[in-house]
Amino acid sequence: MKYLLLIHMNPDIWSTLTQADIDEVMTGHDQFIKHITETGELIRTDALAEPEQSAVVRVRQGAPAVTDGPYVEAKEFLAGFYFVECETKERACELAAMIPDAKWNAIEVRAIVHTQEK
């Protein structure tokens, strides 16, 4: 089964981290990527740009309205994701717990129900 491990970051929490904490997160990602590459579970991973560089699109009464993002009425923002393939949801949750951001932020585990390739 394929899963997205979505990293939701709270900038208020991130801003309180020490440089040592931030270095721990970055090193942890390198180690996590190495691990899930070796186990064959990694399909893809991407980190997203800062929220201030995003836009929010809504269509109202047939007309698109584009506003500066990222705000969709939440404190957290989507910071990045891992796309993995593993046997069970429990294993996907084990992997999510290995993501260093889980120490300070939330990792959402979502099953992929449909994939369309180019």
Side-chain angles (χ1 to χ4, degrees):
M1 186 85 180
K2 294 177 181 170
Y3 294 89
L4 273 180
L5 309 179
L6 302 163
I7 302 167
H8 295 278
M9 179 177 287
N10 184 327
D12 293 336
I13 293 172
W14 187 256
S15 68
T16 67
L17 299 184
T18 65
Q19 188 59 51
D21 292 334
I22 293 168
D23 292 345
E24 177 186 333
V25 169
M26 297 307 167
T27 300
H29 278 286
D30 291 340
Q31 293 168 347
F32 181 66
I33 290 168
K34 183 177 187 278
H35 174 73
I36 61 177
T37 298
E38 289 172 355
T39 64
E41 294 169 305
L42 178 65
I43 295 172
R44 178 186 178 127
T45 184
D46 288 294
L48 302 176
E50 293 292 321
E52 294 77 20
Q53 298 178 33
S54 67
V56 175
V57 178
R58 293 179 173 89
V59 176
R60 300 295 184 263
Q61 299 177 342
V66 181
T67 57
D68 291 338
Y71 306 102
V72 204
E73 304 305 322
K75 287 183 183 180
E76 293 88 7
F77 63 87
L78 182 61
F81 66 87
Y82 287 93
F83 186 21
V84 299
E85 186 166 14
C86 49
E87 293 295 319
T88 65
K89 180 179 178 183
E90 289 74 24
R91 175 60 180 160
C93 289
E94 287 174 14
L95 294 176
M98 292 179 197
I99 297 173
D101 298 77
K103 185 174 179 180
W104 292 283
N105 294 296
I107 311 300
E108 181 181 357
V109 176
R110 298 278 299 270
I112 302 296
V113 295
H114 175 74
T115 300
Q116 179 66 47
E117 301 285 334
K118 289 201 261 184

